[in-house]
Amino acid sequence: MTLSAARMLATRTALPSVLAGASRPALFSTARPLASLLARQSASARFLPLAATASAASTLVHNTKRSFASAATAPATAATAGSEPAAAAERKRCSVYFTIGDRVGALDDILSKLRNLDISLARIESRPSRTKGDYDFYVDFLAIDDAHINAAVGEVRNLAKSIKVVSTGSSDAESTEGSVPWFPRKISDLDSFAERVLSYGAELEADHPGFTDAEYRKRRSAITEAAKSHRHGQPLPRAVYTADEVKTWGIVFEKLTALYKTHACYEHQYIFPLLIQNCGYGPDRIPQIDDISRFLKGWTLRPVMGLLSSRDFLNALAFRVFHSTQYIRHHSAPLYTPEPDICHELLGHVPLYADPDFAAFSQEIGLASLGASDEDLKKLATIYWFTVEFGLTRQGNEIKAYGAGLLSSFGELEYCLSDKPKLLPFDCEPWPCKTVYFVADSFKQMKDDVREYAMSLKRPFSVHYNALTQSIEGDLTRLISAIDKVIKE
């Protein structure tokens, strides 16, 4: 779960000022118009806005699954010879592209210089250069700060025929001028997100229903620790739920499924019985993300221990990975939660990831987010917010709900299809109003619209996902040319 409770960052320019300082929203509880929800949300969005810096106190906030807040970036430590290595989580990631001649020891000379600087290498890729007799290398490494990066680049420059810094900074840190934000290129790179959360799921605020329940807090801590230690390729952790937790799930399950027949989109209604048959969905058992991932065959629910930044959360979608919480709301208030929980994830989000068109639409947003500027990422997060979280679709002569924030909240589900809210047709361009629902004609059309919209963003290169290698591919030469273009501009 990336942010803490709301959904993806909405991000119109108006949202930060409107939401800054707002009180905590009561998501997923009683009938609450979207207008009032947006007016009150602040600490409960699904992921945190990327524009969060030490000086930016007002940040974008979502409303349903991942809550956003502002993240202050700790000051960098000066890189000096002999200084203690910074913790991996504090280091800055950098990607460089360099060319060397085909001679014995050429690469070893460069790697030796980097080792002497205490540079942590994350990955090296090579390929024959377009210049005969040369080889191109693409290297990801971790450094302490900008000075450390500059020292490393200087050493490589002395030995290589050419070098270019492709990207610097962590996913949400400001990037060095002329570079693009770092982005994962292999599915295993998502492991770097495991401990890079902006809010820890085991930490509860004083107004949380489970704040004074020591046993509940202990259970959440164990679940979040399992998520923290999980790495790609390992079996997905299976949570053991208590009788109270299963009872809470059952109450929510019965309440929402009673509305699905009349309020949920056709795709959700078609897939939900398949989840009951194949994944253990039912009022008496909380399904496991491992069983669901096996059923989806192509998409993975990866456990997350807290709130991710919007960039990290969206980047993961490019790899067909959905970060999901495993803990559940407190049993004393089964119809209320101040954050996204397993009910929201499995009842609201999961079903539509078994629909090819919806899954492709979600991945398209993820692909567009890779290397996107902060400004463009806000736009993509806004699209996610008003579609995946709170979207409606026209089916025949009726309007149906497909957004997870609607399908996991009986109050929102009833309200969104009443005659009270304002409805507008789906469009990728920034919307002038915050308190509306957007109606799409089809998931396929949304995917096509987002793909076309992504081409208009400032990112001057394109990428695609190789499902066989579970990696992001693209023309490095084109990428480097794109960086040159950005620098010149």
Side-chain angles (χ1 to χ4, degrees):
M1 130 198 152
T2 22
L3 289 122
S4 103
R7 223 75 315 221
M8 303 219 95
L9 262 144
T11 60
R12 309 179 184 222
T13 54
L15 278 183
S17 59
V18 171
L19 299 177
S23 60
R24 192 179 193 80
L27 262 193
F28 320 123
S29 57
T30 55
R32 210 176 42 274
L34 181 59
S36 63
L37 180 68
L38 285 171
R40 293 183 299 150
Q41 78 190 20
S42 139
S44 29
R46 170 141 227 131
F47 44 81
L48 210 100
L50 60 141
T53 63
S55 61
S58 64
T59 51
L60 309 172
V61 185
H62 286 91
N63 154 345
T64 42
K65 182 169 213 172
R66 313 188 189 255
S67 114
F68 322 163
S70 67
T73 303
T77 306
T80 58
S83 62
E84 289 297 321
E90 299 174 353
R91 292 198 170 210
K92 298 186 68 174
R93 186 180 290 269
C94 180
S95 298
V96 297
Y97 175 89
F98 62 84
T99 301
I100 59 176
D102 184 11
R103 68 173 179 82
V104 177
L107 178 60
D108 188 58
D109 289 344
I110 291 176
L111 297 182
S112 177
K113 294 291 186 181
L114 296 180
R115 282 195 297 270
N116 291 338
L117 287 174
D118 189 32
I119 290 293
S120 300
L121 296 182
R123 177 172 61 245
I124 300 179
E125 295 182 9
S126 66
R127 66 183 64 189
S129 175
R130 291 193 297 179
T131 303
K132 186 176 181 180
D134 293 340
Y135 283 85
D136 296 333
F137 287 84
Y138 195 108
V139 177
D140 288 344
F141 64 84
L142 299 176
I144 298 174
D145 55 17
D146 288 340
H148 203 191
I149 291 174
N150 291 336
V153 172
E155 291 289 2
V156 176
R157 181 174 287 114
N158 292 334
L159 297 172
K161 290 188 174 183
S162 65
I163 180 173
K164 291 184 182 293
V165 178
V166 177
S167 64
T168 61
S170 64
S171 293
D172 282 295
E174 292 185 8
S175 300
T176 300
E177 183 178 0
S179 65
V180 297
W182 177 88
F183 59 88
R185 289 187 292 122
K186 294 184 179 180
I187 195 169
S188 58
D189 289 344
L190 301 185
D191 288 345
S192 65
F193 300 169
E195 299 184 41
R196 195 166 66 212
V197 295
L198 303 172
S199 178
Y200 188 43
E203 299 172 349
L204 304 182
E205 295 190 12
D207 61 348
H208 193 287
F211 181 74
T212 60
D213 188 334
E215 185 60 29
Y216 176 75
R217 298 184 66 140
K218 181 180 179 181
R219 293 268 307 124
R220 283 184 59 129
S221 179
I223 291 174
T224 53
E225 282 300 316
K228 178 180 179 180
S229 62
H230 177 73
R231 293 296 180 269
H232 173 68
Q234 298 176 349
L236 292 169
R238 302 180 72 89
V240 178
Y241 296 100
T242 66
D244 279 341
E245 290 170 333
V246 173
K247 182 179 179 181
T248 299
W249 161 270
I251 293 173
V252 177
F253 184 93
E254 297 283 16
K255 185 76 174 180
L256 288 172
T257 53
L259 290 175
Y260 288 162
K261 296 178 182 179
T262 53
H263 290 63
C265 65
Y266 299 156
E267 291 83 354
H268 189 281
Q269 292 188 46
Y270 171 76
I271 294 166
F272 204 81
L274 298 179
L275 295 174
I276 294 175
Q277 297 170 15
N278 297 280
C279 302
Y281 272 59
D284 302 320
R285 178 192 175 196
I286 302 177
Q288 297 289 337
I289 62 173
D290 183 37
D291 297 334
I292 295 169
S293 295
R294 293 174 187 276
F295 171 74
L296 292 178
K297 298 186 185 303
W299 278 80
T300 299
L301 299 189
R302 175 164 181 156
V304 65
M305 70 173 190
L307 311 182
L308 290 176
S309 69
S310 55
R311 185 179 294 279
D312 288 354
F313 178 77
L314 293 179
N315 280 183
L317 296 179
F319 295 84
R320 301 176 183 172
V321 172
F322 181 85
H323 280 89
S324 169
T325 55
Q326 286 185 284
Y327 45 77
I328 193 168
R329 62 197 67 186
H330 194 258
H331 60 82
S332 65
L335 299 181
Y336 164 82
T337 178
E339 68 210 338
D341 69 341
I342 196 69
C343 297
H344 171 72
E345 314 285 23
L346 303 193
L347 297 175
H349 278 288
V350 163
L352 288 181
Y353 279 102
D355 178 78
D357 289 333
F358 179 86
F361 163 69
S362 297
Q363 185 181 21
E364 204 64 47
I365 295 178
L367 289 169
S369 76
L370 299 177
S373 68
D374 287 357
E375 179 183 354
D376 287 339
L377 192 65
K378 293 176 185 178
K379 296 175 182 177
L380 293 169
T382 302
I383 293 173
Y384 182 97
W385 168 253
F386 283 104
T387 56
V388 178
E389 294 294 351
F390 285 93
L392 298 176
T393 182
R394 189 179 305 280
Q395 299 186 321
N397 296 322
E398 298 181 299
I399 302 295
K400 299 291 185 177
Y402 71 87
L406 305 176
L407 294 169
S408 60
S409 169
F410 71 91
E412 287 292 343
L413 192 52
E414 291 178 327
Y415 174 80
C416 72
L417 297 184
S418 69
D419 58 0
K420 298 177 182 179
K422 180 178 180 180
L423 308 183
L424 292 177
F426 169 75
D427 192 304
C428 287
E429 292 301 323
W431 300 297
C433 182
K434 305 178 299 299
T435 58
V436 301
Y437 294 103
F438 292 89
V439 183
D441 291 330
S442 70
F443 299 147
K444 184 179 185 302
Q445 184 61 51
M446 288 198 307
K447 179 197 69 174
D448 294 340
D449 288 349
V450 168
R451 178 174 295 174
E452 181 178 353
Y453 181 69
M455 298 300 292
S456 70
L457 300 181
K458 295 178 181 179
R459 184 184 67 175
F461 60 90
S462 61
V463 294
H464 64 271
Y465 179 66
N466 185 330
L468 297 178
T469 61
Q470 295 184 302
S471 62
I472 299 298
E473 296 181 348
D475 187 342
L476 286 181
T477 301
R478 183 181 180 188
L479 175 58
I480 297 302
S481 298
I483 300 304
D484 284 341
K485 179 180 178 182
V486 172
I487 294 174
K488 292 176 181 178
E489 292 178 350

